[in-house]
Amino acid sequence: MTLLDCLAIVLGCCVGGFVSGVAGFAFGMVAMVSWVWRIDPQIIAPMVVFGSIVTQSTSVTCLHCGVNWRLTTQFLVGGLAGVPLGIMLLGCIDVVVFKGAMGVVIILFSLALLFVSDNLAVRWGGGAANGCAGFVGGVMGGLCGLNGPAPIVWCLVRGWDKDTQRGLTQVYFLSTQVVTMIGYALSGKITRQVLIAFAIMLPCVLLAAYVGNRVYDRIDTRQFRRIVLALLLISGAVLLVSSLAAHRF
């Protein structure tokens, strides 16, 4: 691993860790902007999961209001049930086309939510609807690593305050990512090179996530909602553009 590789890892971790500390997600989306130019694609996936686990772990320990375990369990049951289905669909679905379609859906949902009242609070569906949102996230996570958008959009539609959203999604993401990392370990993807990358990443991610968490403490629910929607829009755009580029070339 060269000096430039190490610098790319550090830069991605600092920016991705900070953004994830503020918003509670998007570590991989942000970090990969720096990584894809220098890092072997074979080790980027474990790096994304490792960085996400670290940021989610620090965010969980910084939660001041605790976690609503009733809501979180509903999402988790659906999410963990959906992951195996997503993995099974890998051989049946064109992942590039799927990412493009999901990019369009995420953009449309995000734009719609930007123009509706900040006081939107859909009440119907109860625990079953929450479980379905978790299930969709699990399927998307197993298929292409996109476990975040569905639960995040549903939390916004529900109109929950920022602490409720944060507590729920942190536990949801952390649990599904730990399961993913175990799968990587069992399949032999955690090589010596990956472990070296983890060692470089750890202090950078911890520090950046800590700073991001401090910023999170200083924003209100309305500001948090706007930040999350902006990141969802960027995420959808990245997915759509990458899908179109892949088909073009």
Side-chain angles (χ1 to χ4, degrees), residues 25-161:
F25 73 107
F27 173 85
M29 179 186 74
V30 175
M32 281 195 293
V33 173
S34 169
W35 293 349
V36 293
W37 306 103
R38 297 292 313 179
I39 308 302
D40 184 347
Q42 295 298 319
I43 72 171
I44 285 181
M47 287 171 62
V48 167
V49 174
F50 177 77
S52 298
I53 289 173
V54 174
T55 56
Q56 306 301 342
S57 299
T58 59
S59 296
V60 166
T61 60
C62 292
L63 289 173
H64 304 302
C65 59
V67 177
N68 186 323
W69 287 106
R70 179 180 63 84
L71 293 177
T72 302
T73 301
Q74 293 166 0
F75 277 80
L76 273 176
V77 169
L80 295 177
V83 169
L85 177 59
I87 294 173
M88 290 172 58
L89 290 173
L90 273 172
C92 309
I93 293 179
D94 186 328
V95 176
V96 174
V97 173
F98 179 82
K99 285 184 176 181
M102 286 301 100
V104 172
V105 171
I106 292 168
I107 290 170
L108 293 177
F109 264 102
S110 302
L111 287 174
L113 289 171
L114 275 173
F115 291 103
V116 300
S117 170
D118 290 339
N119 297 319
L120 174 70
V122 173
R123 305 297 182 189
W124 57 264
N130 296 338
C132 287
F135 179 78
V136 173
V139 172
M140 291 173 63
L143 183 59
C144 57
L146 295 173
N147 67 334
I152 290 168
V153 168
W154 188 242
C155 286
L156 293 172
V157 169
R158 285 296 204 197
W160 291 324
D161 63 79

Side-chain angles (χ1 to χ4, degrees), residues 2-42:
T2 68
L3 177 60
L4 286 178
D5 294 339
C6 294
L7 290 175
I9 292 173
V10 170
L11 177 61
C13 287
C14 289
V15 182
F18 174 76
V19 170
S20 184
V22 175
F25 73 107
F27 173 85
M29 179 186 74
V30 175
M32 281 195 293
V33 173
S34 169
W35 293 349
V36 293
W37 306 103
R38 297 292 313 179
I39 308 302
D40 184 347
Q42 295 298 319

